[in-house]
Coordinates of all heavy atoms in Angstrom, one line a residue:
M1 N 85.3 -79.6 -105.7 CA 85.5 -79.4 -107.1 C 86.4 -80.5 -107.7 O 86.3 -81.6 -107.3 CB 86.2 -78.0 -107.3 CG 85.3 -76.8 -106.8 SD 83.9 -76.6 -107.9 CE 84.6 -75.8 -109.3
L2 N 87.2 -80.1 -108.6 CA 88.1 -81.1 -109.3 C 89.3 -81.4 -108.4 O 89.7 -80.6 -107.6 CB 88.6 -80.6 -110.6 CG 87.5 -80.3 -111.6 CD1 88.1 -79.6 -112.9 CD2 86.7 -81.5 -112.0
M3 N 89.8 -82.6 -108.5 CA 91.0 -83.0 -107.7 C 92.2 -82.2 -108.2 O 92.4 -82.0 -109.4 CB 91.2 -84.5 -108.0 CG 92.6 -85.0 -107.4 SD 92.6 -85.1 -105.7 CE 92.0 -86.7 -105.4
P4 N 92.9 -81.6 -107.2 CA 94.1 -80.9 -107.6 C 95.1 -81.8 -108.2 O 95.2 -82.9 -107.9 CB 94.6 -80.4 -106.2 CG 93.5 -80.4 -105.3 CD 92.6 -81.5 -105.8
V5 N 95.8 -81.3 -109.2 CA 96.7 -82.1 -110.0 C 97.9 -82.6 -109.1 O 98.2 -83.7 -109.2 CB 97.3 -81.3 -111.2 CG1 98.3 -82.1 -111.9 CG2 96.1 -81.0 -112.2
R6 N 98.4 -81.7 -108.3 CA 99.6 -82.0 -107.5 C 99.2 -81.8 -106.0 O 98.4 -81.0 -105.6 CB 100.8 -81.1 -107.8 CG 101.3 -81.5 -109.2 CD 102.5 -80.6 -109.5 NE 103.1 -80.9 -110.7 CZ 104.1 -81.8 -110.9 NH1 104.6 -82.4 -109.8 NH2 104.6 -82.1 -112.1
C7 N 99.9 -82.5 -105.1 CA 99.8 -82.4 -103.7 C 100.3 -80.9 -103.3 O 101.3 -80.4 -103.8 CB 100.7 -83.4 -103.0 SG 100.9 -83.2 -101.2
F8 N 99.5 -80.3 -102.5 CA 99.8 -78.9 -102.1 C 101.1 -78.8 -101.3 O 101.8 -77.8 -101.4 CB 98.7 -78.3 -101.2 CG 97.4 -78.1 -101.9 CD1 96.2 -78.3 -101.2 CD2 97.4 -77.8 -103.2 CE1 95.0 -78.1 -101.9 CE2 96.2 -77.6 -103.9 CZ 95.0 -77.7 -103.2
S9 N 101.5 -79.8 -100.6 CA 102.7 -79.8 -99.8 C 104.0 -80.2 -100.5 O 105.0 -79.5 -100.4 CB 102.5 -80.7 -98.5 OG 101.5 -80.2 -97.8
C10 N 104.0 -81.4 -101.1 CA 105.2 -81.9 -101.7 C 105.3 -81.8 -103.2 O 106.3 -82.0 -103.8 CB 105.4 -83.4 -101.3 SG 104.3 -84.5 -102.1
G11 N 104.1 -81.6 -103.9 CA 104.1 -81.4 -105.3 C 104.0 -82.7 -106.1 O 104.1 -82.6 -107.3
K12 N 103.9 -83.8 -105.5 CA 103.8 -85.1 -106.2 C 102.4 -85.1 -106.9 O 101.4 -84.7 -106.3 CB 103.9 -86.2 -105.2 CG 103.8 -87.6 -105.9 CD 103.9 -88.7 -104.8 CE 103.7 -90.1 -105.5 NZ 103.9 -91.2 -104.5
P13 N 102.4 -85.5 -108.2 CA 101.1 -85.6 -108.9 C 100.2 -86.6 -108.2 O 100.6 -87.8 -108.0 CB 101.5 -86.1 -110.3 CG 102.9 -85.7 -110.4 CD 103.5 -85.8 -109.0
V14 N 99.0 -86.2 -107.9 CA 98.0 -87.1 -107.2 C 96.7 -87.3 -108.1 O 96.0 -88.3 -107.9 CB 97.6 -86.6 -105.8 CG1 98.8 -86.7 -104.9 CG2 97.1 -85.2 -105.8
A15 N 96.4 -86.4 -109.0 CA 95.2 -86.4 -109.7 C 95.2 -87.7 -110.6 O 94.1 -88.2 -111.0 CB 95.0 -85.2 -110.5
E16 N 96.3 -88.2 -111.0 CA 96.4 -89.3 -111.9 C 95.8 -90.6 -111.3 O 95.4 -91.5 -111.9 CB 97.8 -89.6 -112.4 CG 98.8 -89.9 -111.3 CD 100.2 -90.0 -111.7 OE1 100.5 -89.5 -112.8 OE2 101.0 -90.4 -110.9
H17 N 95.7 -90.6 -109.9 CA 95.2 -91.7 -109.2 C 93.7 -91.5 -108.8 O 93.1 -92.5 -108.3 CB 96.0 -92.0 -107.9 CG 97.5 -92.1 -108.1 ND1 98.0 -93.1 -108.9 CD2 98.5 -91.4 -107.7 CE1 99.3 -93.0 -108.9 NE2 99.7 -92.0 -108.2
S18 N 93.2 -90.4 -109.1 CA 91.8 -90.1 -108.5 C 90.7 -91.0 -109.0 O 89.9 -91.4 -108.3 CB 91.5 -88.6 -108.7 OG 91.4 -88.3 -110.1
D19 N 90.8 -91.3 -110.3 CA 89.7 -92.1 -110.9 C 89.8 -93.5 -110.4 O 88.7 -94.1 -110.0 CB 89.8 -92.1 -112.4 CG 89.4 -90.8 -113.1 OD1 88.8 -90.0 -112.4 OD2 89.8 -90.6 -114.2
E20 N 91.0 -94.1 -110.3 CA 91.1 -95.5 -109.8 C 90.8 -95.5 -108.4 O 90.1 -96.5 -107.9 CB 92.5 -96.0 -110.1 CG 92.7 -97.4 -110.0 CD 94.0 -97.9 -110.4 OE1 94.7 -97.2 -111.1 OE2 94.4 -99.1 -110.1
Y21 N 91.2 -94.5 -107.6 CA 90.9 -94.4 -106.2 C 89.3 -94.4 -106.0 O 88.8 -95.1 -105.1 CB 91.5 -93.2 -105.6 CG 91.2 -93.0 -104.1 CD1 91.8 -93.8 -103.1 CD2 90.3 -92.0 -103.7 CE1 91.5 -93.5 -101.8 CE2 90.0 -91.7 -102.4 CZ 90.6 -92.5 -101.5 OH 90.3 -92.3 -100.1
A22 N 88.6 -93.5 -106.8 CA 87.2 -93.4 -106.6 C 86.5 -94.8 -106.9 O 85.5 -95.1 -106.3 CB 86.7 -92.3 -107.5
Q23 N 87.0 -95.5 -107.9 CA 86.4 -96.8 -108.3 C 86.6 -97.8 -107.1 O 85.7 -98.5 -106.8 CB 87.1 -97.3 -109.5 CG 86.7 -96.7 -110.8 CD 87.4 -97.2 -112.0 OE1 88.3 -98.0 -111.9 NE2 87.0 -96.8 -113.2
K24 N 87.8 -97.8 -106.5 CA 88.0 -98.7 -105.4 C 87.2 -98.4 -104.2 O 86.6 -99.3 -103.6 CB 89.5 -98.7 -105.0 CG 90.5 -99.3 -106.0 CD 91.9 -99.1 -105.6 CE 92.9 -99.7 -106.6 NZ 93.1 -101.1 -106.5
I25 N 87.0 -97.1 -103.9 CA 86.2 -96.7 -102.8 C 84.7 -97.0 -103.0 O 84.0 -97.5 -102.1 CB 86.4 -95.2 -102.5 CG1 87.8 -94.9 -102.2 CG2 85.4 -94.7 -101.4 CD1 88.3 -95.6 -101.0
S26 N 84.3 -96.8 -104.3 CA 82.9 -97.1 -104.6 C 82.5 -98.6 -104.5 O 81.4 -99.0 -104.2 CB 82.5 -96.6 -106.0 OG 83.2 -97.4 -107.0
K27 N 83.6 -99.5 -104.6 CA 83.4 -100.9 -104.4 C 83.5 -101.3 -103.0 O 83.4 -102.5 -102.7 CB 84.5 -101.7 -105.2 CG 84.3 -101.5 -106.7 CD 85.4 -102.2 -107.4 CE 85.3 -102.0 -108.9 NZ 86.5 -102.5 -109.6
G28 N 83.7 -100.4 -102.1 CA 83.7 -100.7 -100.7 C 85.1 -101.0 -100.1 O 85.2 -101.4 -99.0
E29 N 86.2 -100.8 -100.9 CA 87.5 -101.1 -100.4 C 88.0 -100.0 -99.4 O 87.5 -98.9 -99.4 CB 88.5 -101.1 -101.6 CG 89.8 -101.6 -101.3 CD 90.7 -101.8 -102.5 OE1 90.1 -102.1 -103.6 OE2 91.9 -101.6 -102.4
D30 N 88.8 -100.5 -98.5 CA 89.3 -99.6 -97.4 C 90.2 -98.5 -98.1 O 91.1 -98.8 -98.9 CB 90.1 -100.4 -96.4 CG 90.7 -99.6 -95.3 OD1 90.0 -98.8 -94.8 OD2 91.9 -99.8 -95.0
P31 N 90.0 -97.2 -97.7 CA 90.8 -96.2 -98.3 C 92.3 -96.3 -98.1 O 93.1 -96.0 -99.0 CB 90.2 -94.9 -97.6 CG 88.9 -95.2 -97.2 CD 88.9 -96.7 -96.9
A32 N 92.7 -96.8 -97.0 CA 94.1 -96.9 -96.7 C 94.7 -98.0 -97.6 O 95.8 -97.8 -98.2 CB 94.3 -97.3 -95.2
K33 N 94.0 -99.1 -97.8 CA 94.5 -100.2 -98.6 C 94.5 -99.7 -100.1 O 95.5 -100.0 -100.8 CB 93.6 -101.4 -98.5 CG 94.0 -102.6 -99.3 CD 93.1 -103.7 -99.1 CE 93.5 -104.9 -100.1 NZ 92.4 -105.8 -100.4
A34 N 93.5 -98.9 -100.5 CA 93.4 -98.4 -101.9 C 94.6 -97.5 -102.2 O 95.3 -97.6 -103.2 CB 92.1 -97.7 -102.1
M35 N 94.9 -96.6 -101.2 CA 96.0 -95.7 -101.4 C 97.4 -96.4 -101.4 O 98.3 -96.0 -102.2 CB 96.0 -94.6 -100.4 CG 94.9 -93.6 -100.6 SD 94.9 -92.2 -99.5 CE 94.3 -93.0 -98.0
N36 N 97.5 -97.4 -100.6 CA 98.8 -98.2 -100.6 C 99.0 -98.9 -102.0 O 100.1 -98.9 -102.5 CB 98.7 -99.3 -99.5 CG 98.9 -98.7 -98.1 OD1 99.4 -97.6 -98.0 ND2 98.4 -99.4 -97.1
E37 N 97.9 -99.4 -102.5 CA 98.0 -100.1 -103.8 C 98.3 -99.1 -104.9 O 99.0 -99.5 -105.9 CB 96.7 -100.8 -104.2 CG 96.4 -102.0 -103.3 CD 95.0 -102.6 -103.5 OE1 94.3 -102.1 -104.3 OE2 94.7 -103.6 -102.9
L38 N 97.9 -97.9 -104.8 CA 98.2 -96.9 -105.8 C 99.5 -96.2 -105.7 O 99.9 -95.4 -106.5 CB 97.0 -95.8 -105.8 CG 95.7 -96.3 -106.2 CD1 94.6 -95.2 -106.0 CD2 95.6 -96.7 -107.7
G39 N 100.2 -96.5 -104.6 CA 101.5 -95.9 -104.4 C 101.5 -94.5 -103.7 O 102.5 -93.8 -103.8
V40 N 100.3 -94.1 -103.2 CA 100.2 -92.9 -102.5 C 100.6 -93.1 -101.0 O 99.8 -93.5 -100.2 CB 98.8 -92.3 -102.6 CG1 98.7 -90.9 -101.9 CG2 98.4 -92.1 -104.1
D41 N 101.9 -92.9 -100.7 CA 102.4 -93.3 -99.4 C 102.6 -92.2 -98.4 O 102.7 -92.4 -97.2 CB 103.6 -94.2 -99.5 CG 104.7 -93.5 -100.4 OD1 104.4 -92.5 -101.0 OD2 105.8 -94.1 -100.4
R42 N 102.8 -91.0 -98.9 CA 103.1 -89.8 -98.0 C 101.8 -89.3 -97.4 O 100.8 -89.3 -98.1 CB 103.8 -88.7 -98.8 CG 105.1 -89.1 -99.4 CD 105.6 -88.0 -100.2 NE 106.8 -88.5 -101.0 CZ 107.2 -87.9 -102.1 NH1 106.6 -86.8 -102.5 NH2 108.2 -88.4 -102.7
Y43 N 101.8 -89.0 -96.1 CA 100.6 -88.5 -95.5 C 100.0 -87.2 -96.0 O 98.8 -87.0 -96.0 CB 100.7 -88.5 -94.0 CG 101.6 -87.5 -93.3 CD1 101.2 -86.2 -93.1 CD2 102.9 -87.9 -92.9 CE1 102.0 -85.3 -92.6 CE2 103.7 -87.0 -92.3 CZ 103.3 -85.7 -92.2 OH 104.1 -84.8 -91.6
C44 N 100.9 -86.4 -96.6 CA 100.5 -85.1 -97.2 C 99.6 -85.4 -98.5 O 98.6 -84.8 -98.7 CB 101.6 -84.2 -97.5 SG 102.9 -84.9 -98.6
C45 N 100.1 -86.4 -99.2 CA 99.4 -86.8 -100.4 C 98.1 -87.6 -100.1 O 97.1 -87.4 -100.8 CB 100.2 -87.7 -101.3 SG 101.8 -86.9 -101.8
R46 N 98.1 -88.4 -99.0 CA 97.0 -89.2 -98.6 C 95.8 -88.2 -98.2 O 94.7 -88.5 -98.4 CB 97.3 -90.1 -97.5 CG 98.3 -91.2 -98.0 CD 98.9 -92.0 -96.9 NE 98.0 -93.1 -96.5 CZ 98.1 -94.4 -96.8 NH1 99.0 -94.7 -97.7 NH2 97.3 -95.3 -96.4
R47 N 96.2 -87.1 -97.5 CA 95.1 -86.2 -97.1 C 94.5 -85.6 -98.3 O 93.3 -85.2 -98.3 CB 95.6 -85.2 -96.1 CG 96.7 -84.2 -96.6 CD 96.1 -82.9 -97.1 NE 97.1 -82.3 -98.0 CZ 97.9 -81.3 -97.7 NH1 97.8 -80.7 -96.5 NH2 98.7 -80.8 -98.6
M48 N 95.2 -85.4 -99.4 CA 94.6 -84.9 -100.7 C 93.5 -85.8 -101.2 O 92.5 -85.3 -101.6 CB 95.7 -84.7 -101.7 CG 96.8 -83.8 -101.4 SD 96.4 -82.1 -101.2 CE 96.0 -81.6 -102.9
M49 N 93.8 -87.1 -101.1 CA 92.8 -88.1 -101.6 C 91.6 -88.2 -100.6 O 90.5 -88.2 -101.0 CB 93.5 -89.5 -101.7 CG 94.7 -89.5 -102.5 SD 94.5 -89.2 -104.3 CE 94.1 -90.9 -104.8
L50 N 91.9 -88.2 -99.3 CA 90.9 -88.4 -98.3 C 90.0 -87.2 -98.2 O 88.8 -87.4 -98.0 CB 91.5 -88.7 -96.9 CG 92.1 -90.1 -96.7 CD1 92.8 -90.2 -95.4 CD2 91.0 -91.1 -96.8
S51 N 90.5 -86.0 -98.3 CA 89.7 -84.8 -98.1 C 89.0 -84.3 -99.3 O 88.3 -83.3 -99.3 CB 90.6 -83.7 -97.5 OG 91.6 -83.4 -98.4
H52 N 89.3 -84.9 -100.5 CA 88.6 -84.4 -101.7 C 87.2 -84.8 -101.7 O 86.8 -85.9 -101.5 CB 89.4 -85.0 -102.9 CG 88.7 -84.6 -104.2 ND1 88.0 -85.5 -104.9 CD2 88.7 -83.5 -104.8 CE1 87.5 -84.8 -106.0 NE2 88.0 -83.6 -106.0
E53 N 86.3 -83.8 -102.1 CA 84.9 -84.1 -102.3 C 84.5 -83.6 -103.7 O 84.8 -82.4 -104.0 CB 84.1 -83.3 -101.2 CG 82.6 -83.5 -101.3 CD 82.2 -84.9 -101.0 OE1 82.8 -85.6 -100.1 OE2 81.2 -85.4 -101.6
E54 N 83.9 -84.4 -104.5 CA 83.5 -84.0 -105.8 C 82.3 -83.2 -105.8 O 81.2 -83.7 -105.6 CB 83.3 -85.3 -106.7 CG 83.3 -85.0 -108.2 CD 84.6 -84.5 -108.7 OE1 85.6 -85.3 -108.7 OE2 84.8 -83.4 -109.1
L55 N 82.4 -81.9 -106.0 CA 81.3 -80.9 -105.9 C 80.9 -80.3 -107.3 O 80.0 -79.5 -107.3 CB 81.6 -79.8 -105.0 CG 81.8 -80.2 -103.5 CD1 82.3 -79.0 -102.7 CD2 80.6 -80.8 -102.9
I56 N 81.6 -80.7 -108.3 CA 81.4 -80.0 -109.6 C 80.0 -80.2 -110.1 O 79.4 -79.2 -110.7 CB 82.4 -80.5 -110.7 CG1 82.4 -79.7 -111.9 CG2 82.2 -82.0 -111.0 CD1 83.0 -78.3 -111.7
D57 N 79.3 -81.3 -109.9 CA 78.0 -81.5 -110.4 C 77.0 -80.7 -109.6 O 75.9 -80.4 -110.1 CB 77.6 -83.0 -110.3 CG 78.4 -83.8 -111.3 OD1 78.8 -83.3 -112.3 OD2 78.7 -85.0 -111.0
D58 N 77.3 -80.4 -108.3 CA 76.4 -79.6 -107.5 C 76.5 -78.1 -107.8 O 75.6 -77.3 -107.7 CB 76.7 -79.7 -106.0 CG 76.5 -81.2 -105.5 OD1 75.7 -81.9 -106.1 OD2 77.2 -81.6 -104.6
I59 N 77.7 -77.7 -108.3 CA 77.9 -76.3 -108.6 C 77.6 -75.9 -110.0 O 77.2 -74.7 -110.3 CB 79.4 -75.9 -108.3 CG1 79.7 -76.1 -106.8 CG2 79.8 -74.6 -108.8 CD1 81.1 -76.0 -106.4
M60 N 77.7 -76.8 -110.9 CA 77.5 -76.5 -112.4 C 76.1 -75.8 -112.7 O 76.1 -74.9 -113.5 CB 77.6 -77.7 -113.2 CG 79.1 -78.1 -113.5 SD 80.0 -76.8 -114.3 CE 79.3 -76.9 -115.9
P61 N 75.0 -76.2 -112.0 CA 73.7 -75.5 -112.4 C 73.7 -74.0 -112.1 O 72.9 -73.3 -112.6 CB 72.7 -76.2 -111.5 CG 73.3 -77.5 -111.2 CD 74.8 -77.3 -111.1
Y62 N 74.6 -73.5 -111.2 CA 74.6 -72.2 -110.8 C 75.7 -71.3 -111.5 O 75.8 -70.1 -111.2 CB 74.8 -72.1 -109.3 CG 73.8 -72.9 -108.5 CD1 74.2 -74.1 -107.9 CD2 72.5 -72.5 -108.4 CE1 73.3 -74.9 -107.3 CE2 71.6 -73.2 -107.8 CZ 71.9 -74.4 -107.2 OH 71.0 -75.2 -106.5
K63 N 76.5 -72.0 -112.3 CA 77.5 -71.2 -113.0 C 77.0 -70.5 -114.2 O 76.2 -71.1 -115.0 CB 78.6 -72.2 -113.5 CG 79.8 -71.6 -114.1 CD 80.9 -72.6 -114.4 CE 82.1 -71.8 -114.9 NZ 83.2 -72.8 -115.2
R64 N 77.3 -69.2 -114.4 CA 76.9 -68.5 -115.5 C 77.9 -68.6 -116.7 O 79.1 -68.7 -116.4 CB 76.8 -67.0 -115.2 CG 75.7 -66.7 -114.3 CD 75.4 -65.2 -114.3 NE 76.4 -64.6 -113.4 CZ 76.6 -63.3 -113.4 NH1 75.9 -62.5 -114.2 NH2 77.5 -62.7 -112.6
F65 N 77.4 -68.7 -117.9 CA 78.3 -68.9 -119.0 C 78.3 -67.6 -119.9 O 77.4 -66.9 -119.9 CB 77.9 -70.1 -119.9 CG 78.1 -71.4 -119.2 CD1 77.1 -72.0 -118.6 CD2 79.4 -71.9 -119.1 CE1 77.3 -73.2 -117.9 CE2 79.6 -73.1 -118.5 CZ 78.6 -73.8 -117.9
Ligands
ZN1 ZN1 102.4 -84.9 -100.8

């Protein structure tokens, strides 16, 4: 789904980096290097970035309005 706004463990805002992180990954950059450049240095926050999967486009056709 959507990237959580804050890290579940420490509460640091992580969603503000998600777009730039996705751009860097799509260009083939190493995830560790991309997170270092964005200032995401705690391992609890890094797992938020690494484990996120964008599923909103897969789920939207089945949502009732
Ligand atoms: Zn954290």
Side-chain angles (χ1 to χ4, degrees):
M1 295 296 283
L2 300 172
M3 170 71 88
V5 174
R6 291 182 177 267
C7 172
F8 293 145
S9 297
C10 72
K12 181 178 178 180
V14 291
E16 63 190 11
H17 305 300
S18 63
D19 289 341
E20 194 172 346
Y21 176 74
Q23 285 178 351
K24 288 176 182 278
I25 297 303
S26 67
K27 292 177 186 172
E29 190 170 326
D30 181 43
K33 184 182 173 201
M35 286 185 284
N36 288 340
E37 290 173 358
L38 293 171
V40 181
D41 51 350
R42 299 175 190 159
Y43 65 83
C44 57
C45 303
R46 292 169 84 97
R47 63 98 201 256
M48 300 293 288
M49 308 290 276
L50 285 173
S51 61
H52 177 255
E53 181 67 36
E54 195 67 69
L55 296 175
I56 190 72
D57 294 330
D58 298 334
I59 293 173
M60 281 302 286
Y62 306 105
K63 186 174 181 179
R64 289 195 284 165
F65 291 100

